[in-house]
Amino acid sequence: MSERTGGRLSRRAVITAAAATAGVAATGGALAATQRDGAPPRPSGTVPFHGAHQAGIATPQQQYAFFAAFDLESTDPVKGERLTPAQAAANFQRLMGWWTIAAERITQGHAPGPRPGGRPDVPPDSGIADGLEPSRLTITFGLGPGLFARIGQERQRPRRLEPLPAFRTDRLEAAWSGGELLVQICGDDLQTISRAFRTLRSRAPGVARLRWTQQGFLGRFGDATPRNLFGHKDGTANPRPGDAKFDRAVWSDGADEPAWFSGGTYLVFRKIRMDLPKWDTSSTRTQDETIGRRRDNGAPLSGGHEFSAPDLGKAAPHGGLLVPADSHLALVRNVPMLRRSYNYDYGFQANSQPVADHHDTPGEDHDHGQDMPKHSGGGHAAYDAGTLFCAYLRDPAEFVRVQHKLAESDRLNAFIRHTGSAVFAMPPGARPGKHVAAGLLPS
Amino acid sequence: MSERTGGRLSRRAVITAAAATAGVAATGGALAATQRDGAPPRPSGTVPFHGAHQAGIATPQQQYAFFAAFDLESTDPVKGERLTPAQAAANFQRLMGWWTIAAERITQGHAPGPRPGGRPDVPPDSGIADGLEPSRLTITFGLGPGLFARIGQERQRPRRLEPLPAFRTDRLEAAWSGGELLVQICGDDLQTISRAFRTLRSRAPGVARLRWTQQGFLGRFGDATPRNLFGHKDGTANPRPGDAKFDRAVWSDGADEPAWFSGGTYLVFRKIRMDLPKWDTSSTRTQDETIGRRRDNGAPLSGGHEFSAPDLGKAAPHGGLLVPADSHLALVRNVPMLRRSYNYDYGFQANSQPVADHHDTPGEDHDHGQDMPKHSGGGHAAYDAGTLFCAYLRDPAEFVRVQHKLAESDRLNAFIRHTGSAVFAMPPGARPGKHVAAGLLPS
């Protein structure tokens, strides 16, 4: 939820520029570019899989996203023996090969191809997307910090890939954090996304195990900047794909990174839970001064319109500053990153219990309209909704720098809690016939 | 997931008939009716709120659904004293009044109006849907069996509203079961749905508490019958809204029900979890003989096309029957109900735990590709996906009769587990100026 100022172009111009430059200028790209222009997305949209960069980052943002983190298996599933780094590397390479083939096929509207080890009498695909268009499906892969030692490739680890430090306000849960491999699936049809994940997951048994999944959505805002669950426009000040500024902020040029990583980027992923009842019962003034912008039109409190640069020194008529120094906007200016976040609303997250064990008496056990349970861990008392914050950037240290500042003084801290966290290196795009991250291992 | 045979019209004809007769023949209805005709749903679609029946039942099915069950508060939130039935009834009436006003406003694209007891400096709405169209939003209310004694209106309880009996194969979890009040929100935009629920929820504190929520989706199949997560078409043999047969199956005519309930129906809601890895590694033959239909085109195994009537006596060339007697299709024929189910894919449902308490070692604790954990209660080891089965019918005993049969012998039992269950009386539609279920209480 950081902000970046200076963009005066409309979101429409931004999206069009993105499509023209981000390797999606073919049929699918042109289509995708027009899809944000007020009209609902066309289900037939296809985003090319191959290119200098992976799709799903600079390509136009779809309505829905599914994120899944996996860890490589550490032991041989048959013999039970610990895998050597060379064995783990072979597993990794096999999995990336399977995943790449499946991803390039289903994003282009084809069947995923045979399941490795699949019996001939078993259908190779779940069939749940039979008759559905790809709906701008993209599948994007990431590599976590722990992967490289595991596969004996510490020397090839992208230099800026480190576990994030602890931040003062973090309330992280292991169940939503970390991971050696990331699969990011975006599209405009939840069923094609569900099918895509199921296809990839079916390649994992014996090689990798699921660690966590997250699912997000955007409203159908068309040409306008999407609103987050605090009702504020989120993403107003993103850099514009196609600008040199965008490229400098997002893509690694390999100058001081391993050569295989050129054209890659990093993803900082944060599950940020929102206390919606607390927010909804706060005054308009509190809400807007917390963000530093007007909710209704997205303009900075210093005046102008959504795309106006904020004037952080402008005095309020009755003293103080129009944009408070500890507002979110004032603290997060000029961070070189692309935000491509999604809202999430998981509803009421009961801890499932068999009927017989459940004490069905009214009491502490139920929802009282506050979304932040007193005990971390949440569960039965909690309604879980918020933001899946996704920042793509050349240097995660930029996120770390700002997040320390935010943890120290952001007014938003009264309304949010970071409950999940992960960082991944996002390899460059695959070339036809090669798998994603093929450059990492000798072939 | 029951089946009903005989319909020879295409789904398109069914939907058009539905729109023409189900009280949605005005602007919004005509619009909604054309939305399944291949084109993506129009975000500007508006479904009328008032009518003989509540919207969201016979009206064309939207892409997404959010179900939330509430229980009335049993004690006074200030004094802590147990509420009398008369006090509970007053609370119920107030809540239904607030909910009805909010629902009729936001489904028609208007602001929800003031929050009861809201401060003037606090925005009355979350603002997250500002700029969004209703996208065929419908809000439908239901009343659970326990409600009527609670509000001292046992005499007005619909005669067929009883808790469902236990079925042999049930593995119900209290966290997903029961409830005195149901809110069903359907639409084509997840953000307008999230906003709608948030609006309704904000009316509940002090009067009702949240019990469970569920969220489902359909793929964008346009004119075709949607596929469930087993890849099979689901809903082929639904009765056609507008037929006398449909009306007899679904709507109560009040003949042997309390007068206020005329034009209402019942909803049987079941959360049915699917073992997707087990299904996906079963042969085409096993899959199709379990359902009794071909996955690819939806035709009964006795031959023909999707809408052909199955021939349950037709012998297979090498002995036995083409449609096995214990296939799902053979067991569920001619059940008078409307199915309007949704798929759900909740991903990997970790039990949230603070990082420090988490044993992050590989082991039993992770996903091994089977979606049915050995211990009921699921949690950390489980991937939760399946069907939110919704049957609307004049007599829940029809469901009970078939479900006992299914529990006894349905081949599908090897692949599914019922983990949530609830039944509700769905009142008739509200008249302008009256709240839903207004006829239940003297005004």
Short mmCIF file of all heavy atoms in Angstrom, two decimals, chain A residues 90 106 169 272 312 349 393:
data_model
loop_
_atom_site.label_atom_id
_atom_site.label_comp_id
_atom_site.label_asym_id
_atom_site.label_seq_id
_atom_site.Cartn_x
_atom_site.Cartn_y
_atom_site.Cartn_z
N ALA A 90 17.91 -31.81 -9.29
CA ALA A 90 17.26 -32.57 -10.37
C ALA A 90 15.74 -32.52 -10.23
O ALA A 90 15.00 -32.36 -11.21
CB ALA A 90 17.75 -34.02 -10.36
N ILE A 106 -1.66 -24.10 -21.06
CA ILE A 106 -3.00 -23.70 -20.63
C ILE A 106 -3.21 -22.19 -20.71
O ILE A 106 -4.32 -21.74 -20.93
CB ILE A 106 -3.39 -24.26 -19.24
CG1 ILE A 106 -2.48 -23.77 -18.15
CG2 ILE A 106 -3.43 -25.76 -19.27
CD1 ILE A 106 -2.84 -24.33 -16.78
N THR A 169 5.95 -4.00 13.77
CA THR A 169 4.51 -4.24 13.85
C THR A 169 4.09 -5.59 13.28
O THR A 169 2.90 -5.89 13.21
CB THR A 169 3.75 -3.12 13.09
OG1 THR A 169 4.37 -2.98 11.82
CG2 THR A 169 3.83 -1.81 13.85
N ILE A 272 -1.89 -8.57 4.42
CA ILE A 272 -2.17 -7.48 5.34
C ILE A 272 -3.65 -7.51 5.70
O ILE A 272 -4.52 -7.25 4.87
CB ILE A 272 -1.81 -6.11 4.71
CG1 ILE A 272 -0.33 -6.10 4.29
CG2 ILE A 272 -2.11 -4.98 5.69
CD1 ILE A 272 0.09 -4.83 3.56
N LEU A 312 3.47 18.19 0.50
CA LEU A 312 3.59 17.71 1.89
C LEU A 312 3.83 18.84 2.88
O LEU A 312 3.72 18.64 4.08
CB LEU A 312 4.71 16.67 1.99
CG LEU A 312 4.50 15.40 1.15
CD1 LEU A 312 5.61 14.39 1.43
CD2 LEU A 312 3.14 14.77 1.47
N GLN A 349 -13.51 -17.07 9.38
CA GLN A 349 -12.62 -18.23 9.37
C GLN A 349 -12.76 -19.03 10.65
O GLN A 349 -12.01 -18.84 11.60
CB GLN A 349 -11.16 -17.78 9.21
CG GLN A 349 -10.87 -17.24 7.82
CD GLN A 349 -10.85 -18.34 6.79
OE1 GLN A 349 -10.04 -19.24 6.86
NE2 GLN A 349 -11.74 -18.28 5.82
N LEU A 393 9.93 -5.34 -7.61
CA LEU A 393 10.95 -4.29 -7.59
C LEU A 393 12.33 -4.89 -7.78
O LEU A 393 12.58 -6.05 -7.49
CB LEU A 393 10.85 -3.45 -6.32
CG LEU A 393 11.24 -4.03 -4.96
CD1 LEU A 393 11.00 -2.98 -3.89
CD2 LEU A 393 10.48 -5.28 -4.61
#
